[in-house]
Amino acid sequence: MIRHLCLVGYGAMGQSLVGCWAKQPSPMIEKVTIVSPHEVDTKSVMGTGISEAIWVSSEDIHTLDFHEVDILLFAVKPQVLPLVLPVYGQHVAGLADPKTLLIASIAAGVAMDTYAYHFPHSPFVRVMPNTPVQVGQGMSALMGNKHCEEMHDTLINQLFMPTGHVLWLDKEAYFDAVTAISGSGPAYVYLLGEALEAAGKKLGLPAEISETLAKHTLQGAGAMAGTSYDPLRALRTQVTSPGGTTAAALDVLMENETFTTLVENAVIAAHNRSQELK
Ligand SMILES: NC(=O)c1ccc[n+]([C@@H]2O[C@H](COP(=O)([O-])OP(=O)(O)OC[C@H]3O[C@@H](n4cnc5c(N)ncnc54)[C@H](OP(=O)(O)O)[C@@H]3O)[C@@H](O)[C@H]2O)c1
């Protein structure tokens, strides 16, 4: 069980993560301190997975005792980090033993060197999650720095495994591609769902029926992709009888590799943008 997590930033991602942890069937975090400029209703944060929650205004972080914190997790926008990191860096520098506090961040596009400048002796883990963490179906890629020991890897695994799948990387350069695939990926999948929904309506289905069919097709196909040991290609061929309806649709989608090329170009655009944002 994690004794004390301090979460800096309680926006879309912060709330998604906390929502997932709070719903865990048994206690996983004893205490969560949420640092946010906006007051947080801490009663709504607590649940079976979180025993105690407090809110600290971002103006009042001097009131925090970092000796008591196990994990300090940054979930603010990347552009806010330059304002925030020096302040936390000063507090962490006052720790007798920096190894007692694991620092982590989910900020997209911010290199580990940036954190090393402010927390030179601290164990640090860079994490790239995605929004399905909210329902415990996220995909989080992680990488630790040279100060991380087994206990720190265990601690961060305890935090992120309940939010979905966890994948450790051994090269920081992979993060831009990870951001372009799994970080932004849910949006591409929703777009495919929207296209299915629109096609259903064009074929005369009422809007609600079309929406239900599209959403549950994404859900079912996603669940099969996530639980099957078969590669995606095998899952596709299993539902494609020669000369059948699926084959007719795939003939259109796969003609001249149009669909694959379009997706590749989209992912490359996201990758390039991730590099530009640094
Ligand atoms: N959304 C995604 O799909 C996704 C996926 C992977 C990673 N990420 C990363 O997750 C991080 C958070 O993204 P998000 O979508 O949750 O952003 P968000 O909704 O804007 O949340 C950030 C929160 O931090 C607050 N904040 C600003 N200054 C602060 C301070 N000094 N101390 C504490 N909190 C402060 C903001 O308040 P104000 O609104 O008042 O400024 C806001 O409530 C980003 O770095 C992003 O790159 C996001």
Side-chain angles (χ1 to χ4, degrees):
M1 182 159 162
I2 294 158
R3 235 171 0 120
H4 189 171
L5 166 76
C6 177
L7 176 69
V8 182
Y10 195 58
M13 276 310 276
Q15 290 177 35
S16 294
L17 288 166
V18 164
C20 176
W21 295 324
K23 277 193 273 207
Q24 293 308 301
S26 53
M28 71 166 269
I29 311 177
E30 213 170 291
K31 180 175 174 182
V32 175
T33 295
I34 297 172
V35 182
S36 170
H38 316 286
E39 186 166 358
V40 172
D41 171 15
T42 50
K43 282 206 182 81
S44 70
V45 171
M46 287 184 273
T48 39
I50 298 178
S51 314
E52 185 190 349
I54 62 166
W55 166 65
V56 171
S57 162
S58 35
E59 311 266 288
D60 295 331
I61 64 150
H62 57 273
T63 61
L64 275 169
D65 181 0
F66 286 92
H67 289 94
E68 283 184 359
V69 178
D70 297 319
I71 307 177
L72 172 62
L73 175 64
F74 292 102
V76 291
K77 288 279 186 211
Q79 56 270 30
V80 173
L81 278 176
L83 304 171
V84 166
L85 293 182
V87 182
Y88 285 84
Q90 279 178 7
H91 286 279
V92 171
L95 288 177
D97 179 5
K99 287 202 185 310
T100 59
L101 175 65
L102 172 62
I103 299 171
S105 174
I106 63 166
V110 181
M112 289 165 81
D113 274 356
T114 305
Y115 302 94
Y117 179 79
H118 297 283
F119 309 106
H121 308 293
S122 297
F124 171 81
V125 179
R126 181 173 171 186
V127 187
M128 177 39 91
N130 64 7
T131 51
V133 294
Q134 196 173 352
V135 292
Q137 299 283 328
M139 174 66 248
S140 298
L142 297 85
M143 187 173 163
N145 72 358
K146 61 178 180 191
H147 299 297
C148 280
E149 293 175 7
E150 205 179 325
M151 63 173 176
H152 302 114
D153 295 356
T154 305
L155 205 57
I156 204 81
N157 275 334
Q158 278 175 8
L159 195 62
F160 279 92
M161 275 179 172
T163 70
H165 197 76
V166 160
L167 180 76
W168 284 86
L169 304 177
D170 58 7
K171 279 199 184 78
E172 194 179 14
Y174 291 160
F175 270 102
D176 289 320
V178 167
T179 304
I181 295 175
S182 56
S184 306
Y188 320 152
V189 175
Y190 299 140
L191 181 64
L192 177 64
E194 284 176 65
L196 280 176
E197 193 182 327
K201 285 193 270 186
K202 234 178 194 167
L203 292 172
L205 290 174
E208 318 84 82
I209 293 183
S210 213
E211 186 185 357
T212 303
L213 295 176
K215 278 188 165 182
H216 289 275
T217 301
L218 294 192
Q219 184 183 22
M224 281 188 72
T227 52
S228 170
Y229 289 108
D230 288 336
L232 292 172
R233 187 191 176 91
L235 292 176
R236 171 168 59 75
T237 51
Q238 278 161 25
V239 290
T240 315
S241 329
T245 55
T246 312
L250 290 178
D251 281 349
V252 176
L253 284 171
M254 295 170 80
E255 194 183 4
N256 301 324
E257 303 207 326
T258 319
F259 183 69
T260 314
T261 309
L262 192 63
V263 172
E264 272 173 16
N265 288 342
V267 170
I268 290 167
H271 179 264
N272 292 346
R273 184 73 185 128
S274 176
Q275 291 189 322
E276 275 166 24
L277 288 172
K278 280 179 197 155

